[in-house]
Amino acid sequence: MFDSRPDRDAEVVFVGRSNVGKSTLMRQLTGHQFSTGGKPGVTRRPNHYDWAPESFVLTDLPGFGFMEGVPEERRERIKTDIVRYLETHADDILVGVLVVDGKSVVDIIDRHAERGEIPHDVELFHFLEELGIPPVVAVNKMDKVDDRDERLNELCERLGLLPPWQQWRDTIAPISAKRGNVDALTDAVRTHLHEAKRDDLLKFF
C-alpha cells in the first residue's frame, strides 16, 4: 500500500492528523482532485502527484492520530507506515510539510503532554529534523482563529522554537486552504527548494 511511489529523485511530502485539511490543501496546490471524505481517516494510502518529465513528486501521506471508527491497532500501523516511508525516502524528500489545525493544535498538544505522552505533531516535527528533512508547519484554518499571533507563538513554544513566530517564516506558515490563502506555505517551501539548489522546481509552487 505504501510502495506505490513513482520513481522520482525529488519529493515534497505532506503529513498531519486526520481532518486538518490536507486533501483541500493538495487540491489548492495541484489543481488535482484528491479523494477526501467527510469522516477522518479516509486517506489510507499515500496520494502521489507527479509531473512528467520532471523528476518530482508531491505526496499526501495518510492522516494519523485519533480516527472515529478506526481501531487503535490500525491507527498505529498507519503511523508506523508513515515513519517508515519518511525514513526510506529521506534522501529524496526536500521538504516535509506538517499540516496542523490552527484552531486546535495547541490544545491537542497540551492534552497529550499532560498525559505524559509525546504529542504526535511535536514528535513528527522533530523526526523530520532528525532525518535532515526541513520541516514546514502549515498552520491551516487560520481564518477561524481570533488571537492569531498569540496562537502561533504558543505553537512555536510547543515545538521548541523561540517566539515570536514571525522569525520562523520558513518553518511556520499560517494558511487557510479552503479560502485559497496558501502563500505563506508556498513561500516557505520555495525557500527550502532554493536552499537545496532546486530552483527548477519553484514553478510548482
Side-chain angles (χ1 to χ4, degrees):
M1 193 147 71
F2 267 69
D3 54 10
S4 58
R5 182 184 185 275
D7 184 19
R8 297 286 183 259
D9 67 2
E11 181 173 11
V12 173
V13 298
F14 291 75
V15 294
R17 289 180 178 278
S18 300
N19 260 17
V20 294
K22 272 196 297 95
S23 298
T24 306
L25 176 57
M26 295 296 283
R27 212 161 43 237
Q28 279 293 339
L29 293 173
T30 65
H32 183 72
Q33 187 73 29
F34 284 87
S35 60
T36 167
K39 61 175 194 246
V42 169
T43 308
R44 297 287 173 85
R45 65 187 68 207
N47 271 318
H48 299 287
Y49 195 71
D50 65 325
W51 285 265
E54 270 86 11
S55 188
F56 173 61
V57 61
L58 272 188
T59 301
D60 175 20
L61 291 171
F64 59 81
F66 176 76
M67 290 168 258
E68 203 169 332
V70 179
E72 182 161 0
E73 180 193 334
R74 166 96 192 128
R75 296 201 302 263
E76 283 302 311
R77 193 158 72 244
I78 289 171
K79 195 176 153 216
T80 303
D81 285 344
I82 290 169
V83 165
R84 196 172 294 134
Y85 184 94
L86 293 171
E87 285 177 332
T88 303
H89 302 294
D91 289 347
D92 294 329
I93 299 173
L94 302 176
V95 187
V97 180
L98 173 60
V99 188
V100 301
D101 183 330
K103 204 169 163 60
S104 63
V105 63
V106 172
D107 298 333
I108 290 171
I109 289 173
D110 288 351
R111 201 157 58 234
H112 283 272
E114 281 162 14
R115 293 202 295 254
E117 303 165 3
I118 299 173
H120 288 335
D121 300 287
V122 176
E123 188 179 18
L124 209 45
F125 178 79
H126 292 301
F127 184 60
L128 288 167
E129 287 187 319
E130 281 168 29
L131 292 174
I133 300 169
V136 174
V137 185
V139 193
N140 197 17
K141 308 185 185 182
M142 285 304 290
D143 52 307
K144 297 178 179 174
V145 176
D146 299 327
D147 48 351
R148 177 187 167 93
D149 288 343
E150 187 184 332
R151 187 51 61 105
L152 292 169
N153 285 339
E154 287 174 347
L155 178 58
C156 279
E157 286 174 347
R158 306 306 189 271
L159 295 173
L161 305 173
L162 199 64
W165 74 270
Q166 286 91 341
Q167 63 184 334
W168 300 102
R169 287 186 189 274
D170 58 349
T171 304
I172 302 290
I175 63 169
S176 173
K178 208 168 231 179
R179 297 196 170 190
N181 177 8
V182 297
D183 289 355
L185 173 60
T186 53
D187 288 349
V189 171
R190 287 168 66 91
T191 297
H192 292 297
L193 293 177
H194 177 67
E195 286 171 355
K197 298 184 170 48
R198 292 304 302 262
D199 285 3
D200 55 313
L201 303 177
L202 295 181
K203 61 188 174 191
F204 297 119
F205 295 91

